[in-house]
Amino acid sequence: MSASAFADTTVCLITKTDTNPFFVKMKEGATAKAEELGMTLKAFAGKVDGDHETQVQAIETCILDGAKGILLTASDTSSIVPAVQQARDAGIIVIALDTPLSPVDAADATFATDNYKAGLLIGQWARAKMGDAAADAKIATLDLNVSQPTVDVLRNQGFLEGFGVDLADPNVIGDETDPRLVGSDVTDGNEEGGRRAMENLLAKDPTINVIHTINEPAAAGAYEALKAIGRENDVLIVSVDGGCPGVQNVADGVIGATSQQYPLLMASLGVEAVKKWADESVKPENTPGKDFFDTGVALVTDQAADGVESISVKEGMDLCWG
């Protein structure tokens, strides 16, 4: 079938923001694949991370436009479900990218990093890197926002398990009782939020020496707050994303290790899945043994730790985005 035959196949991409390099790369991947397949891509984004209302409005617009599929990175993974159900009731396939909905089967499919594994890897690495000192660590977590979207919870809880913290409810951030935990604060996934959250936590305990950050912009902000009090060289920061600026920050010693994910792949696979749905009414299948399609994750560091699989900064740079 010719590309022109698919000209009426519209796919919507709805991301949390259009400024985070992760979502910029996702849009690039979706745009390129839609062009290749002769589809029309319409892109929408929240004004800031956590802007739920704009995402709901975007879904409503896509329903009215007669889109065949919606690719969604949800800011509020449970509150978005009624709008998603409306789209599905209208015959639109809804695929979650990066961030599973709550519950996960509220979407037709999910293409994502194994975010729990991403957290687990950086937690295991930080624990191994600290050695005996891990037993007396002072841990802070810089999370996403107060609604605790699934991606936030998965990375946080994976990190804590990897570091050896006993989890209470694995679906909730902040209910653990380990005395090493100083506290958590939210960053909105950006540098300014990371700096502010780090300042708040340092005011609570200036001896913090291990920091989990939801993403690399938040990590960069945390580093600036530490640098302002002369502690940038004696605190271990770990993160998740794998964007080129973040990998460069690993090279520069700002971040000790980061878990790299692959947004361009998520988006291009998502567009292909919408085409297949429009064409054959076939939905994508999950990775065996998981409730989503796993697009892969790799720990990036030049300080390899025994028992924790990783790739070098050079390899990370070859695979990075943004």
Side-chain angles (χ1 to χ4, degrees):
M1 198 175 285
S2 69
S4 62
F6 296 111
D8 293 332
T9 303
T10 296
V11 55
C12 289
L13 174 68
I14 305 172
T15 54
K16 295 176 187 177
T17 72
D18 57 8
T19 53
N20 186 318
F22 184 86
F23 301 122
V24 171
K25 183 53 67 172
M26 195 174 266
K27 185 177 176 181
E28 283 179 20
T31 301
K33 184 56 71 172
E35 285 178 2
E36 178 190 323
L37 299 178
M39 300 165 72
T40 300
L41 178 78
K42 294 189 177 179
F44 305 84
K47 298 178 184 70
V48 294
D49 206 321
D51 180 5
H52 167 70
E53 290 306 321
T54 297
Q55 292 196 318
V56 171
Q57 290 163 12
I59 290 174
E60 291 168 353
T61 299
C62 295
I63 294 171
L64 290 172
D65 283 353
K68 295 292 187 184
I70 295 172
L71 308 177
L72 171 68
T73 63
S75 281
D76 189 323
T77 47
S78 53
S79 297
I80 200 78
V81 168
V84 167
Q85 190 57 51
Q86 268 188 293
R88 293 178 70 185
D89 289 345
I92 299 171
I93 189 171
V94 179
I95 298 173
L97 300 184
D98 172 58
T99 304
L101 298 187
S102 183
V104 67
D105 60 3
D108 291 290
T110 302
F111 291 166
T113 307
D114 185 334
N115 280 295
Y116 198 86
K117 182 180 178 183
L120 192 72
L121 284 169
I122 54 175
Q124 290 171 335
W125 181 86
R127 184 184 187 182
K129 180 77 178 145
M130 290 199 76
D132 293 342
D136 300 308
K138 296 281 191 173
I139 306 166
T141 67
L142 270 57
D143 302 301
L144 191 52
N145 58 46
V146 292
S147 71
Q148 297 196 11
T150 50
V151 64
D152 200 9
V153 175
L154 289 165
R155 292 180 189 179
N156 174 290
Q157 298 288 282
F159 163 78
L160 293 178
E161 183 186 315
F163 200 85
V165 172
D166 288 335
L167 304 179
D169 181 346
N171 299 306
V172 176
I173 291 172
D175 61 352
E176 301 81 16
T177 57
D178 192 306
R180 294 175 294 176
L181 294 172
V182 172
S184 66
D185 203 343
V186 295
T187 66
D188 290 325
N190 61 51
E191 189 166 336
E192 173 59 26
R195 186 185 60 76
R196 184 181 62 247
M198 190 73 253
E199 287 172 350
N200 292 342
L201 290 162
L202 285 167
K204 189 174 180 182
D205 188 338
T207 67
I208 289 166
N209 60 2
V210 181
I211 302 162
H212 156 72
T213 60
I214 180 67
N215 64 9
E216 291 155 359
Y223 180 83
E224 288 306 315
L226 290 163
K227 193 173 179 182
I229 61 167
R231 293 211 53 220
E232 71 273 20
N233 295 322
D234 60 335
V235 178
L236 202 56
I237 302 177
V238 291
S239 197
V240 179
D241 255 357
C244 298
V247 175
Q248 185 59 50
N249 274 347
V250 176
D252 294 341
V254 172
I255 300 171
T258 194
S259 285
Q260 186 171 62
Q261 45 184 351
Y262 304 103
L264 192 148
L265 180 62
M266 290 176 202
S268 58
L269 288 171
V271 172
E272 285 179 353
V274 172
K275 174 185 178 293
K276 195 169 180 67
W277 170 251
D279 233 12
E280 306 168 29
S281 298
V282 173
K283 293 181 181 179
E285 295 183 5
N286 293 332
T287 298
K290 300 187 177 185
D291 56 9
F292 64 98
F293 184 95
D294 187 352
T295 52
V297 63
L299 184 76
V300 180
T301 185
D302 274 342
Q303 304 173 59
D306 286 346
V308 187
E309 191 175 334
S310 62
I311 63 174
S312 68
V313 167
K314 184 181 182 306
E315 290 170 290
M317 277 294 188
D318 290 341
L319 296 167
C320 72
W321 38 267

